[in-house]
Structure formats: C-alpha cells, structure tokens
C-alpha cells in the first residue's frame, strides 16, 4: 500500500487499484435555479475511464484527504444501502443536496459533480468528485463574408487529465468510513469547510499532511521544553524521519510511538512529554503517520533564513555532516551556519 490510515477502529489502506463499475455526471451550476441531473450513465469509453481513474487515484491518495466517521444520524447512511440497487437515484439525491448548499453559500464554486460506483482495495464505495469550473480560451470560427477566427472564453471548463478535484469524497457502502477532501469557503461570514459537516454529516479526522505537522510541532515543543536551544530543530526532526522511515520505497508506515523512539531514544522524560502532547491532539501511540511522497520532497531540503533576509536550502542528507556544514550556537541565543568547502 502507499499508506494506511487508522482511526477509532477504522482502517482504509490505499492501493492504486480502483475498479470503476458505473459513473454519472451532474451539472451543479448555481447560475441556474436547478441542477441539471443526468438520467443516464456515462458511456464506458477508454479515454473517459482513464480520466476518471486518474482523478480518483489522485483524490484518494492525496495527503490532504481525511478519513472521517459518519455520525449515527447522518442522512447519507440509509442511502448508502441503496447505492448498488439505485446508483443513479442516490447520486441525484446527493447532487440535489449539494446544490442546495451551494445556493445557501454562494462562495462555493460552480462545478460538475462526477459520481462513481467503484471498488477501492476491494471495498465497494460511492465516490464523488466536485470538478470546479475553470476559465479557458477557445477559438471560434465564423463564416460570414469571409472566415473569421476569434478567441472566446469558456467559463465552465473542467480540470485536465493531470488536474485534480478541488473537493471529493469516498464513502464505503457499509458506512464504516468516509475519505474526504474539502476546501474552506465563506460559510456564514467565516472561512470554513462545509463538505464533511454539512453534506456528509461526518466527524472529520486528520489528513496525512496534518498528522505529520502535529508530530513535528510536538517535537518542537518537547525540544524547547527540555533542551532549549540545544534541542533538535525542525530540520533535524525532518532529517531523522527521512533517515529512519523513508529510506526504502516499501518502508512500513511508522506509528507515533516508533517516531518517538527514533527522535528521543532512551530519554524517558522527553518521550513521555512527546506522547502526552500527541494524545492531547487525539493521536494515540499506535496511530500510523503516513509520510507520503509530497512530504518527503518537502522535507528533503530545509530552508534556513537569516535575520538579514538571506535564505539558503540545506539538503537533509548533509544536515548532520559536520564536514559539510556546522551549526554554531552563539551566546545571544542565535545560531550561525558555517558552510565548508565552497567552490566558486
């Protein structure tokens, strides 16, 4: 698997194998009074299936995707039981409710709603991709007294083959788990997400990106609390994570407990403080922390900035190499960086 997320007994492992059974497209354009809901499924053409598959894979494996739990009173739970028998009808019901929310909060962009009945890692689910409209340019050919080629704007273009859905959800048909990508819009006067709470009526968890940020923030707090300026700073934490857990492509997913051990070894008071901070953030010692490719790329080079505004990037593989660079602690609490063997 690329990664695995576990929360409150729910597990959904991500494989890049998605089997598409049916798909339908609904138009959610609030410039009209009603959504334009399809009665017929999309034709299973090869190019269309490739488009669907690419967008589904990118959405499902996104580091911004959260695994969520449906509330017991969620309106969607009874509908999930009907999906296999009435996929079109269920998709229309969800699209209608989604459109109503978009009318209630005009800041939510117009879009096409792409609904898919699929299996993800052999788990039957219904997926929905909200493909927000993009403005693009097209040519228009007119034949009057001569041929006139004009440039015209197309305000309702969809993302391309390599694009991504701005919002999406995957709901297991047994109601056990739901994975959500959502954005913040102006909702009742404040920037906030709406998809999980208002459309799905689910309880949101952490995304892989957020989990990793919580871990790094907890390490920074422990370092400051117990070691002050002598503790590991963020680049050192990133270097330890990469060195310990990301050396092999098929490395197992670390838990918070394993990360704690890698960072603090046999320092009981630091390990205890680190674990306590994470538990306060609702991350248990057994919580898996997926370090996805995007996070590896970000941590691979650490940006350091001086008070003068000078910025440099230090590859983490040389961060602990004192023959290449050296961090010097100054009496005033600042740190100086000595870069060795510069070639001009």
């Amino acid at each position: 698997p690329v990664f695995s997320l576990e929360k409150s007994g729910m597990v959904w492992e991500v494989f890049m194998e998605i089997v598409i059974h049916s798909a339908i497209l609904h138009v959610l354009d609030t410039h009209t009074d009603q959504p334009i809901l399809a009665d017929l499924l999309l034709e299973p053409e090869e190019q269309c299936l490739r488009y669907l598959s690419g967008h589904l894979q990118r959405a499902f494996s996104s580091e911004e995707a959260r695994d969520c739990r449906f509330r017991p009173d969620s309106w969607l739970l009874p509908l999930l039981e009907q999906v296999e028998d009435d996929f079109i009808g269920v998709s229309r019901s969800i699209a209608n409710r989604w459109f109503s929310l978009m009318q209630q909060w005009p800041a939510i962009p117009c879009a096409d709603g792409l609904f898919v009945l699929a299996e993800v890692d052999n788990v039957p689910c219904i997926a929905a991709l909200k493909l927000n409209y993009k403005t693009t340019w097209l040519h228009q050919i007119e034949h009057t007294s001569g041929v006139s080629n004009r440039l015209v704007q197309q305000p309702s273009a969809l993302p391309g083959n390599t694009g991504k859905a701005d919002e999406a959800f995957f709901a297991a048909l047994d109601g056990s788990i739901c994975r959500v990508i959502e954005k913040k819009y102006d909702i009742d006067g404040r920037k906030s997400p709406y998809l999980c709470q208002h459309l799905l009526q689910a309880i949101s968890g952490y995304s892989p990106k957020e989990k990793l940020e919580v871990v790094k923030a907890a390490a920074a707090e422990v370092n400051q609390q117990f070691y002050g300026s002598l503790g590991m700073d963020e680049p050192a934490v990133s270097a330890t994570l990469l060195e310990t857990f990301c050396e092999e492509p098929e490395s197992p997913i670390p838990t918070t407990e394993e990360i704690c051990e890698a960072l603090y070894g046999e320092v009981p008071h630091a390990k205890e403080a680190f674990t306590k901070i994470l538990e306060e953030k609702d991350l248990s010692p057994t919580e898996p922390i997926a370090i996805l490719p995007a996070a590896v790329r970000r941590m691979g080079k650490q940006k350091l900035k001086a008070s003068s505004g000078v910025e440099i990037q230090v590859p983490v593989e040389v961060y602990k190499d004192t023959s290449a660079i050296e961090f010097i602690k100054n009496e005033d609490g600042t740190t100086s960086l000595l870069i060795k063997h510069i070639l001009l």
Side-chain angles (χ1 to χ4, degrees):
V2 176
F3 62 83
S4 172
L5 297 176
E6 184 174 350
K7 185 73 173 175
S8 301
M10 301 179 303
V11 179
W12 202 340
E13 294 184 333
V14 182
F15 291 82
M16 291 298 97
E17 182 177 309
I18 295 179
V19 179
I20 298 172
H21 295 298
S22 304
I24 193 168
L25 187 70
H26 301 307
V27 177
L28 308 178
D29 186 347
T30 50
H31 293 107
T32 61
D33 293 333
Q34 298 291 332
I36 303 174
L37 304 180
D39 298 310
L40 302 176
L41 299 173
L42 287 173
E43 293 292 331
E45 300 172 348
E46 182 178 354
Q47 289 187 338
C48 179
L49 289 174
R50 287 183 179 178
Y51 181 84
L52 292 178
S53 178
H55 277 278
L56 290 169
Q57 289 183 21
R58 283 188 292 276
F60 195 76
S61 61
S62 170
E63 65 173 352
E64 297 179 352
R66 297 184 175 98
D67 275 1
C68 307
R69 291 179 290 119
F70 283 109
R71 298 200 321 245
D73 61 344
S74 172
W75 74 282
L76 192 55
L77 284 175
L79 285 183
L80 293 178
E81 300 174 359
Q82 306 171 27
V83 169
E84 292 183 309
D85 294 328
D86 187 17
F87 168 64
I88 294 177
V90 171
S91 73
R92 288 169 62 95
S93 296
I94 299 173
N96 261 319
R97 192 178 183 100
W98 211 332
F99 187 82
S100 296
L101 293 176
M102 293 167 63
Q103 286 183 311
Q104 181 179 348
W105 297 307
I108 302 173
C110 299
D112 282 358
L114 186 56
F115 292 81
V116 181
L117 177 61
E119 290 183 27
V120 181
D121 184 25
N122 296 319
V123 177
C125 68
I126 183 172
L129 304 176
K130 184 169 178 284
L131 304 176
N132 292 347
Y133 295 151
K134 316 291 181 184
T135 299
T136 188
W137 289 88
L138 302 174
H139 71 257
Q140 185 179 71
I141 303 173
E142 293 183 353
H143 295 272
T144 52
S145 57
V147 177
S148 173
N149 297 329
R150 301 175 54 224
L151 285 173
V152 295
Q153 280 191 322
Q154 166 56 264
S156 56
L158 300 180
N161 290 335
T162 58
K164 62 180 181 179
D166 296 279
E167 303 165 70
F169 72 82
F170 296 76
L173 298 188
D174 63 3
S176 61
I177 192 170
C178 183
R179 175 162 291 179
V180 179
I181 296 176
E182 56 185 351
K183 299 293 183 183
K184 292 182 179 180
Y185 300 109
D186 187 353
I187 306 296
D188 295 333
R190 51 189 285 181
K191 287 277 188 180
S192 59
Y194 73 96
L195 187 56
C196 190
Q197 179 179 355
H198 296 285
L199 179 65
L200 304 175
Q201 295 182 333
I203 301 170
S204 180
Y206 285 116
S207 69
K209 183 177 181 180
E210 290 169 332
K211 281 187 183 182
L212 187 57
E213 292 303 316
V214 169
V215 166
K216 292 166 71 174
E221 185 175 337
V222 170
N223 296 335
Q224 183 63 37
Q225 179 180 349
F226 290 99
Y227 304 108
S229 61
L230 297 179
M232 286 190 297
D233 51 17
E234 183 177 334
V237 171
S238 296
T240 300
L241 292 176
L242 291 176
E243 182 180 299
T244 308
F245 302 111
C246 303
E247 289 184 342
E248 300 295 333
E250 300 298 325
S251 297
I253 299 162
T255 63
T256 58
E257 188 173 38
E258 291 168 334
I259 290 176
C260 179
E261 184 67 27
L263 292 176
Y264 301 111
E266 300 301 323
V267 187
H269 58 290
K271 292 170 66 175
E272 182 180 353
F274 182 78
T275 301
K276 182 178 179 181
I277 293 171
L278 292 184
E279 288 180 342
E280 290 174 351
K281 298 292 185 179
D282 200 25
L283 291 181
S284 69
T286 59
E287 189 82 33
I289 306 297
I291 306 176
L292 303 184
V296 173
R297 288 193 295 272
R298 283 196 303 271
M299 293 191 296
K301 291 185 178 180
Q302 295 296 317
K303 183 182 292 185
L304 305 177
K305 184 175 181 179
S307 58
S308 61
V310 175
E311 293 185 7
I312 64 170
Q313 285 189 335
V314 180
V316 293
E317 61 263 24
V318 301
Y319 191 81
K320 297 180 180 180
D321 185 358
T322 56
S323 66
I325 61 173
E326 183 177 348
F327 292 91
I328 303 171
K329 301 294 183 180
N330 302 319
E331 293 182 358
D332 61 359
T334 61
T335 301
S336 295
L337 175 63
L338 175 62
I339 305 176
K340 305 176 182 180
H341 309 300
I342 298 178
L343 300 177
L344 299 176

